[in-house]
Amino acid sequence: MSTDQNARGESTNDDASRRPAVRALVVLLSIEALFMVGLSAWFLFELVAAKPSSFASALAIFVILLIATVFVSALAIGAIRRRTWIRGGAVTWQIVQIAVAIGAFQGVFAQPGIGWLLLIPSLVVLVLLFTKPVIAVTRREFN
């Protein structure tokens, strides 16, 4: 493999990239990205169709949602391309999702179903990120 490919973060271990753990990681991150795109579209529809009590706050939340959608989509695309930089971002995103999931289990407006839908994939992705095949694909090799 050429030095140019290593500089771009491509893995030199083609065998590891075909493992089920790597494929599962790509699938789960892609599903999370698609979910975020759908959530952004729904939120935009609600922003236009319903009158929020504070338009400025709703708009700020929408901008934050768009930033998160771009971030998760970049992680999914990076995972598909087997980039080395995705592991840190994916761990960060899973921790954020776990925090939101814990919040979904608590309070007056608790939604345990949503909590489980966020918690289970996040834990699976966290475990996958630290498996040998995923580490082999996402490890940067220096010459």
Side-chain angles (χ1 to χ4, degrees):
M1 183 135 303
S2 74
T3 309
D4 187 36
Q5 286 175 318
N6 282 342
R8 290 187 309 219
E10 294 178 7
S11 174
T12 58
N13 193 344
D14 289 332
D15 245 3
S17 68
R18 295 186 189 133
R19 298 262 173 93
V22 176
R23 288 184 183 187
L25 177 72
V26 169
V27 167
L28 287 172
L29 288 175
S30 298
I31 289 170
E32 288 177 354
L34 290 173
F35 174 77
M36 291 297 291
V37 169
L39 185 63
S40 296
W42 173 80
F43 197 91
L44 178 62
F45 174 77
E46 286 295 318
L47 189 62
V48 173
K51 183 171 177 5
S53 58
S54 171
F55 186 76
S57 295
L59 190 60
I61 291 171
F62 181 65
V63 169
I64 292 169
L65 181 61
L66 285 179
I67 292 168
T69 300
V70 169
F71 178 70
V72 176
S73 298
L75 287 175
I77 292 167
I80 290 167
R81 294 179 180 173
R82 311 295 196 257
R83 299 294 191 222
T84 58
W85 52 264
I86 65 153
R87 202 168 41 192
V91 167
T92 302
W93 180 249
Q94 301 316 310
I95 291 171
V96 168
Q97 278 192 167
I98 289 170
V100 173
I102 291 169
F105 288 118
Q106 304 172 17
V108 177
F109 302 106
Q111 295 290 326
I114 293 173
W116 287 115
L117 285 174
L118 291 171
L119 184 63
I120 292 171
S122 295
L123 293 175
V124 171
V125 170
L126 276 176
V127 169
L128 288 172
L129 285 168
F130 294 101
T131 60
K132 286 184 181 183
V134 173
I135 290 173
V137 169
T138 59
R139 181 180 341 148
R140 179 173 231 155
E141 296 180 18
F142 295 99
N143 292 336

